[in-house]
Amino acid sequence: MTLISVKMAPPLPLVILLMIHGVYGQYKWHLSYSPTHICALKDSTVTMTCTYTYPGHSIMNVLWTNTTVTDYVKYPDLSEDPEYSQRVKVWGVKQQYSAVTLSHVTLKDSHTYYCRFFSNVGDIWIGYPGVTLNVTDLQVESPERVTEGDSVRLTCKSSCTLADRATFIWYRNSQKISTKSKFSNELFLKSVRREDAGRYSCAAYGHNLISYDVNLIVMYPPKNVSVSISPSGVIVEGDSVTLSCSSDSNPPALNFSWFKGAFFVGSGRIYSISKISSDDSEEYKCKSINEHGFKYSDAVTLKVMYPPRSVSVLMSGSGVIVEGDSVTLSCSSDSNPPALNFSWFKENEVSAVGSGQSFSALQSGRFYCQAYNQHGSQRSDAVTVTVHHGAGSNVIVITVASGGLLIIIIIIIIIIIIILFIIQRKIIKRRSAVHEYENDGPRAGTYTALDLKSRSPDLYDTLTTLHPRPAVLQPGSSKYENLSV
């Protein structure tokens, strides 16, 4: 209790009374306020009380005011003030104390309030110094920006010390968060993370007031760096492709680098490839950079699909085979996905003569293969299969139709040389036989010149049968005697 002096406002200026230390004449007046200072949160309810004694007289009426005008008669009553009338309740009159309850206080309600009463003898009294009311709101005090890993302390502050021991509640993005001590007006974040960023506010238990939000900004290097490819489906050679780099960082990353395998290929958040080719198939990754650091994305594989190309026919064996055998032709190609379907054709024929990656050639002709995948097809150059007859056997010779003209000419020349050599050998043999026959002497006789023993038995028998030896007359013999061999 605090002893407060009171002043009487006489209804008429005919009597001036001196008040010294609460004593008026032979009577002692006592008036006290409890409490004398109140710190209240905005929108809360406060109660102010005064206790008084007025020996020998009765108190007829008590009112509360917040004005300091010197005309005591015209002190306004709070209950009649439009700004207070709906929020003020005065009670306890005529019971040696008076209380006033003021609800939904605002910052404008910060004033000094006085208790004023009227006695049964017409005295009007007002007590000083009154009750000082300070209305405050709550504010969160924190650094505007912190770096990930730092420690940060947030404080819930008011412009005055609250009358009661407040219990504080903390919110992040309007969601209540737990604290170690609910009586503390401080929130301590140790080793702050990017997830701690947000709007913070505080409140006191039992009060509806919540402080204004404060935008805690946590700075951190790039994280969650990733690459997306557009279009996201199958990419075919000739398409236009865009690679985008995204990351989570604060401040946002503005510097991006692109790598194809281990080689730098460009910069910027977007990397575009127009008319993509199979040579662009590779692993790509981006590097995101801000003032606090950098991070690489995981590599993504760019797969470019394309139809068969570089289709060619391969031959097994030496290319020379004996009649009855076959030569195997194989079809190869470069494509993505790999070609699984192959058809074989003979030039100048519409229908296919075979299928599959391999084909057995049994006859002369020019053959080629055609490779297929879901993106297209391509045919190979033709190969020539030629069957040559000679020496009791057939020989199959394979020549390449494209890019092998010189080889073909050389082979033809060799064949002509071999044929000419064979013909020349035959001519020489015939000439040798005629020359031997013409060198037989006429005096030796046509048949005796022949060495019949060197001839074959059939030839000998034929000659002796058709041309018997003439008879020769010999002394002492018969007239005709056959020549014996």
Side-chain angles (χ1 to χ4, degrees):
M1 289 287 191
T2 302
L3 184 62
I4 306 298
S5 63
V6 296
K7 293 183 179 179
M8 182 179 68
L12 297 174
L14 300 178
V15 179
I16 299 176
L17 301 176
L18 178 64
M19 297 181 57
I20 301 176
H21 299 296
V23 178
Y24 172 59
Q26 61 181 350
Y27 303 106
K28 290 185 179 180
W29 284 80
H30 297 279
L31 188 147
S32 61
Y33 291 96
S34 178
T36 57
H37 292 83
I38 298 177
C39 179
L41 290 176
K42 186 174 66 174
D43 202 40
S44 64
T45 299
V46 297
T47 299
M48 298 170 282
T49 62
C50 71
T51 303
Y52 49 86
T53 59
Y54 189 21
H57 296 280
S58 299
I59 299 301
M60 304 303 296
N61 190 21
V62 177
L63 58 84
W64 287 81
T65 184
N66 65 357
T67 185
T68 58
V69 297
T70 56
D71 186 354
Y72 297 146
V73 179
K74 296 181 180 179
Y75 277 29
D77 187 349
L78 290 180
S79 60
E80 296 178 358
D81 189 328
E83 292 187 9
Y84 291 91
S85 59
Q86 301 299 320
R87 301 185 291 127
V88 168
K89 179 181 178 182
V90 179
W91 44 280
V93 180
K94 300 181 181 179
Q95 300 179 18
Q96 294 187 338
Y97 78 95
S98 177
V100 61
T101 299
L102 182 60
S103 62
H104 302 291
V105 294
T106 67
L107 297 179
K108 293 173 61 176
D109 292 334
S110 296
H111 287 288
T112 300
Y113 293 82
Y114 306 98
C115 180
R116 180 184 179 196
F117 54 91
F118 302 86
S119 70
N120 59 340
V121 295
D123 295 335
I124 302 175
W125 296 84
I126 185 167
Y128 284 93
V131 178
T132 301
L133 173 63
N134 289 319
V135 180
T136 183
D137 55 10
L138 295 177
Q139 296 178 347
V140 175
E141 189 177 77
S142 73
E144 183 179 358
R145 296 172 183 265
V146 295
T147 303
E148 190 175 39
D150 291 348
S151 295
V152 61
R153 190 182 304 272
L154 288 78
T155 305
C156 187
K157 299 187 67 176
S158 59
S159 60
C160 57
T161 303
L162 297 177
D164 53 351
R165 187 183 183 188
T167 300
F168 291 93
I169 310 169
W170 286 94
Y171 300 89
R172 181 175 62 239
N173 299 328
S174 301
Q175 299 296 319
K176 184 178 177 181
I177 58 177
S178 60
T179 57
K180 292 183 178 180
S181 176
K182 59 184 179 179
F183 294 106
S184 174
N185 66 333
E186 292 184 342
L187 177 63
F188 182 70
L189 301 176
K190 184 178 181 181
S191 187
V192 69
R193 304 172 300 165
R194 68 182 187 279
E195 291 83 5
D196 293 324
R199 302 182 63 86
Y200 284 81
S201 58
C202 65
Y205 277 104
H207 298 277
N208 296 326
L209 177 66
I210 299 178
S211 70
Y212 291 107
D213 290 337
V214 173
N215 283 327
L216 180 62
I217 301 174
V218 180
M219 316 300 284
Y220 53 93
K223 300 177 183 293
N224 303 323
V225 183
S226 62
V227 173
S228 60
I229 302 176
S230 178
S232 59
V234 175
I235 299 173
V236 182
E237 195 169 41
D239 289 348
S240 293
V241 177
T242 299
L243 284 74
S244 301
C245 187
S246 63
S247 65
D248 173 22
S249 63
N250 197 10
L254 298 177
N255 192 349
F256 299 88
S257 299
W258 287 95
F259 297 86
K260 178 183 179 183
F263 299 97
F264 172 81
V265 292
S267 59
R269 196 180 71 84
I270 303 296
Y271 180 66
S272 298
I273 306 173
S274 60
K275 294 184 179 180
I276 197 167
S277 69
S278 59
D279 294 336
D280 296 314
S281 294
E282 185 58 88
E283 287 189 340
Y284 290 82
K285 60 184 177 181
C286 72
K287 180 182 179 182
S288 177
I289 308 168
N290 75 358
E291 59 197 69
H292 298 286
F294 66 88
K295 186 176 178 63
Y296 287 92
S297 70
D298 292 332
V300 295
T301 301
L302 184 60
K303 296 180 180 179
V304 181
M305 304 298 177
Y306 52 94
R309 63 189 182 189
S310 304
V311 181
S312 62
V313 175
L314 303 178
M315 175 187 62
S316 64
S318 63
V320 179
I321 63 172
V322 180
E323 184 180 20
D325 289 345
S326 64
V327 63
T328 300
L329 307 179
S330 298
C331 191
S332 67
S333 68
D334 172 25
S335 63
N336 192 15
L340 298 178
N341 296 323
F342 301 87
S343 297
W344 291 90
F345 296 88
K346 188 176 183 181
E347 279 192 343
N348 301 322
E349 293 185 8
V350 177
S351 300
V353 296
S355 62
Q357 194 166 5
S358 298
F359 172 69
S360 296
L362 299 173
Q363 56 181 320
S364 296
R366 288 172 57 80
F367 297 90
Y368 65 90
C369 70
Q370 189 145 355
Y372 305 83
N373 71 4
Q374 58 262 46
H375 302 292
S377 65
Q378 188 183 68
R379 60 161 284 181
S380 69
D381 292 329
V383 296
T384 301
V385 177
T386 305
V387 178
H388 289 269
H389 301 279
S393 64
N394 293 332
V395 179
I396 300 179
V397 180
I398 311 300
T399 60
V400 180
S402 172
L405 181 60
L406 180 61
I407 296 176
I408 293 175
I409 294 174
I410 293 173
I411 292 175
I412 292 174
I413 292 174
I414 292 173
I415 293 173
I416 293 174
I417 292 174
I418 292 173
I419 293 173
L420 293 175
F421 178 76
I422 293 173
I423 293 173
Q424 185 179 12
R425 288 290 303 271
K426 288 183 178 181
I427 292 174
I428 292 173
K429 286 183 179 181
R430 287 180 183 177
R431 287 180 178 176
S432 297
V434 173
H435 181 68
E436 181 180 1
Y437 177 77
E438 290 177 347
N439 286 339
D440 291 340
R443 290 179 293 179
T446 301
Y447 301 102
T448 57
L450 295 174
D451 186 4
L452 298 180
K453 292 182 180 181
S454 65
R455 308 303 181 190
S456 64
D458 294 338
L459 179 60
Y460 175 77
D461 293 340
T462 302
L463 292 175
T464 55
T465 302
L466 295 177
H467 304 282
R469 296 183 65 178
V472 179
L473 182 64
Q474 296 287 341
S477 62
S478 58
K479 185 176 180 179
Y480 299 101
E481 190 177 41
N482 292 328
L483 178 62
S484 62
V485 178

